[in-house]
């Protein structure tokens, strides 16, 4: 029962008492009883006022915090939200924090305030618990891919560059709680430890020490360290001796320790000193393998810029002007840079203007939907955790700029646009990425592009429509090459050999965006209509872009 309801109940009882005991002034004893009644009423009213003052003080703190962040964001919204930490805390403020604000406000008699909040939640874009979880997972992805130190990340630093205000103990706790909900106990431990450290330094406590210890103990237990989990549980019980879950967990951990010790003693009696025979404690780390093009280690190392094209390969790369005997291009040729040979990866410079980019963004924004991938068995489009972005499709007839870009792709590649897909526009959000994949359909993917009737994707042109301060590279693990976003440039490669066989060397990925907002658009070009532009042959292709 809320305090305001308690207060109302007391008032009601007092009026009921007065109606039952009339003419109290006629007897001193009745007046003496009223003193006791007044005493109860004063105490109740006093407690109510204190509680309301505490709520108001807390709400004022929320307003101060929110307003400070709003002021920072209003100066440059794009720069503010380009920081994944700011983006995460914004989602957290409008989910976990705002739920607490609603709970506080709902215990008052201000119905108008509640009505306003309900209206905004119903009619405005409001993040959900799923959004909060997604934002937390994105930060974990960035933390792992770019090997970010937890404490530095909590200070608002990304690879040594400070972008935002620091996270509070409550912010760190929420990151740990979301990791726990995903059964990610490794990150639960990291962020609960950071929450604990920050809580000790906070004058106005934003999190509960008992909650932190409970999550921390269980996450460490799930990673195999029962002794530490028991120690943390005992510390929790020192704070809250009656904590029911902690009491149960302590008994369980003690039993588990006894069982573990029993197993270890039996192993020692058998003379088996194999270290792997005894369960290790904590997280196991493996030595990175940068030679496996299908492994995650190489992919993430390329994202961090730790692996580069071999020097002997770089020596063979050239830059050139491309005209294709086109009268217009003779006057204004394309500037082409070879990024890799076999597979041939090319960068075209200055091939999309700022005006075109602005038009494409403006047309795409209201149509954005969660980006999808094609199911290899059914051919149906579906969302996937390994592709985090939003996309939209634009037709050439919608705007001259869209038609101009399509014609430019034809001029750049020498291929027909008659069966090319519409221009796909993509914007990557917090930690937005796309795991290693092929653009073409492999032999086992029988239904891919079946509904289009235009054959496989023969080539890809990828336009970069924004600069990205950190992260966001397009990496090719087999080629051990990374292409870094630069506004106005475009990457080009053939997905198929002239034989029609898929070139698996073109397997590529979009690295998570560490800082900034990544905008790209792409044209996927299909086989049908290219018969006289790129003739079929059983031989592997040679570099095909010649002046």
């Amino acid at each position: 029962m809320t305090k305001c309801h308690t207060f109302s109940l007391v008032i009601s009882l007092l009026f009921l008492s007065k109606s039952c005991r009339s003419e109290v002034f006629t007897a001193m004893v009745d007046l003496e009883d009223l003193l006791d009644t007044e005493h109860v009423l004063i105490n109740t009213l006093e407690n109510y006022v204190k509680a309301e003052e505490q709520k108001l003080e807390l709400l004022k703190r929320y307003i101060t915090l929110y307003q400070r962040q709003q002021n920072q964001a209003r100066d440059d919204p794009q720069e503010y939200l380009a920081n994944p930490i700011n983006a995460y805390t914004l989602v957290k403020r409008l989910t976990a924090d705002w739920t607490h604000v609603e709970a506080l406000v709902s215990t008052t008699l201000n119905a108008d305030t509640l009505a306003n909040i309900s209206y905004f939640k119903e009619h405005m874009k409001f993040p959900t618990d799923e959004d909060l979880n997604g934002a937390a997972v994105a930060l974990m992805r960035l933390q792992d891919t770019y090997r970010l130190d937890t404490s530095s990340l909590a200070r608002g630093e990304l690879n040594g560059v400070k972008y935002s205000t620091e996270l509070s103990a409550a912010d760190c706790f929420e990151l740990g709680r979301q990791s726990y909900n995903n059964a990610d106990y490794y990150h639960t431990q990291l962020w609960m430890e950071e929450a604990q450290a920050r809580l000790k330094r906070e004058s106005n406590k934003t999190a509960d020490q008992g909650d932190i210890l409970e999550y921390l103990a269980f996450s460490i237990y799930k990673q195999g360290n029962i002794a530490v989990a028991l120690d943390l549980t005992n510390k929790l019980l020192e704070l809250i001796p009656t904590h029911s879950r902690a009491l149960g967990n302590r008994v369980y951990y003690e039993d588990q320790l006894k069982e573990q010790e029993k197993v270890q003693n039996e192993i020692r009696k058998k003379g088996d000193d194999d270290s792997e025979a005894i369960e290790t404690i904590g997280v196991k780390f493996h030595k990175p393998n940068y030679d496996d093009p299908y492994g995650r280690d190489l992919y993430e190392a390329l994202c961090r810029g730790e692996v580069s094209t071999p020097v002997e390969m770089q020596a063979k790369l050239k830059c050139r002007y491309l005209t294709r005997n086109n009268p217009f291009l003779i006057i204004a040729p394309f500037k082409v840079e070879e990024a890799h040979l076999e597979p041939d990866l090319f960068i075209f410079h200055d091939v999309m203007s700022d005006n075109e980019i602005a038009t494409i963004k403006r047309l795409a924004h209201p149509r954005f939907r969660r980006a999808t991938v094609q199911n290899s068995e059914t051919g149906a489009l579906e969302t996937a955790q390994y592709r985090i972005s939003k996309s939209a499709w634009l037709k050439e007839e919608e705007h001259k700029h869209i038609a101009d870009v399509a014609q430019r792709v034809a001029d750049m590649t020498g291929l027909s646009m008659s069966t090319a897909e519409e221009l796909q526009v993509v914007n990557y959000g917090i930690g937005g990425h796309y795991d290693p994949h092929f653009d073409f359909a492999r032999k086992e993917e029988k239904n891919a592009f079946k509904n289009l009737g235009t054959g496989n994707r023969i080539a890809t042109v990828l336009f970069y429509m924004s600069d990205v301060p950190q992260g966001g590279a397009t990496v090719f693990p087999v080629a051990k090459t990374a292409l870094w976003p630069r506004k106005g440039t475009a990457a080009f490669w053939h997905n198929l050999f002239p034989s029609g066989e898929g070139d698996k060397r073109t397997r590529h990925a979009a690295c998570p965006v560490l800082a900034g907002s990544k905008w790209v658009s792409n044209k996927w070009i299909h086989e049908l209509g290219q018969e006289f532009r790129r003739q079929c042959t059983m031989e592997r292709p040679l570099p095909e872009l010649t002046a």
Side-chain angles (χ1 to χ4, degrees), residues 495-505 534 537 539-541:
N495 295 304
L496 308 178
F497 291 117
S499 64
E501 178 188 356
D503 187 349
K504 293 186 177 181
R505 301 172 303 176
R534 192 185 192 228
T537 174
E539 299 178 358
R540 287 200 168 194

Side-chain angles (χ1 to χ4, degrees), residues 408-472:
R408 196 167 305 128
V409 171
D411 294 338
M412 290 162 57
T413 64
L415 299 173
S416 170
M417 295 296 105
S418 61
T419 58
E421 296 178 42
E422 297 171 1
L423 185 70
Q424 186 191 44
V425 186
V426 180
N427 180 229
Y428 292 86
I430 311 170
H433 72 125
Y434 192 177
D435 277 355
H437 62 282
F438 301 102
D439 279 354
F440 63 88
R442 287 165 286 174
K443 292 180 180 179
E444 62 269 23
E445 297 172 324
K446 303 295 184 183
N447 294 313
F449 315 127
K450 185 177 180 179
N451 60 326
L452 297 179
T454 55
N456 213 340
R457 286 172 175 165
I458 193 173
T460 296
V461 174
L462 176 64
F463 289 95
Y464 296 108
M465 303 197 301
S466 65
D467 295 317
V468 180
Q470 291 197 59

Side-chain angles (χ1 to χ4, degrees), residues 348-478:
F348 285 76
H349 292 268
D350 303 321
V351 287
M352 186 178 280
S353 69
D354 288 346
N355 286 339
E356 289 171 334
I357 289 172
T359 298
I360 292 170
K361 286 183 177 181
R362 176 174 55 81
L363 293 176
H365 190 250
R367 306 184 203 177
F368 270 149
R369 297 292 183 271
R370 171 77 179 270
T372 57
V373 296
Q374 195 162 47
N375 186 298
S376 60
E377 296 181 0
T378 66
L381 296 176
E382 57 190 22
T383 60
Q385 283 301 312
Y386 59 82
R387 188 183 190 188
I388 305 298
S389 60
K390 283 191 173 182
S391 63
W393 300 83
L394 302 180
K395 301 178 184 295
E396 294 175 29
E397 55 267 27
E398 292 184 53
H399 197 282
K400 179 180 182 300
H401 286 165
I402 310 301
D404 289 345
V405 167
Q407 181 58 51
R408 196 167 305 128
V409 171
D411 294 338
M412 290 162 57
T413 64
L415 299 173
S416 170
M417 295 296 105
S418 61
T419 58
E421 296 178 42
E422 297 171 1
L423 185 70
Q424 186 191 44
V425 186
V426 180
N427 180 229
Y428 292 86
I430 311 170
H433 72 125
Y434 192 177
D435 277 355
H437 62 282
F438 301 102
D439 279 354
F440 63 88
R442 287 165 286 174
K443 292 180 180 179
E444 62 269 23
E445 297 172 324
K446 303 295 184 183
N447 294 313
F449 315 127
K450 185 177 180 179
N451 60 326
L452 297 179
T454 55
N456 213 340
R457 286 172 175 165
I458 193 173
T460 296
V461 174
L462 176 64
F463 289 95
Y464 296 108
M465 303 197 301
S466 65
D467 295 317
V468 180
Q470 291 197 59
T474 306
V475 298
F476 295 77
V478 176

Side-chain angles (χ1 to χ4, degrees), residues 523-540:
K523 265 292 191 186
W524 280 311
I525 307 168
H526 285 250
E527 290 177 290
L528 189 64
Q530 316 304 337
E531 295 83 356
F532 299 104
R533 295 174 181 260
R534 192 185 192 228
Q535 294 184 358
C536 181
T537 174
M538 296 306 294
E539 299 178 358
R540 287 200 168 194

Side-chain angles (χ1 to χ4, degrees), residues 151-172:
S151 296
S152 298
L153 193 54
R155 290 195 299 270
E157 296 176 6
L158 302 175
N159 278 339
V161 181
K162 188 170 179 63
Y163 286 96
S164 65
T165 55
E166 298 193 10
L167 297 179
S168 66
D171 293 331
C172 296

Side-chain angles (χ1 to χ4, degrees), residues 239-250:
L239 288 175
I240 312 172
T242 59
H243 197 291
S244 58
R245 286 190 302 274
L247 288 169
N249 287 344
R250 179 168 65 181

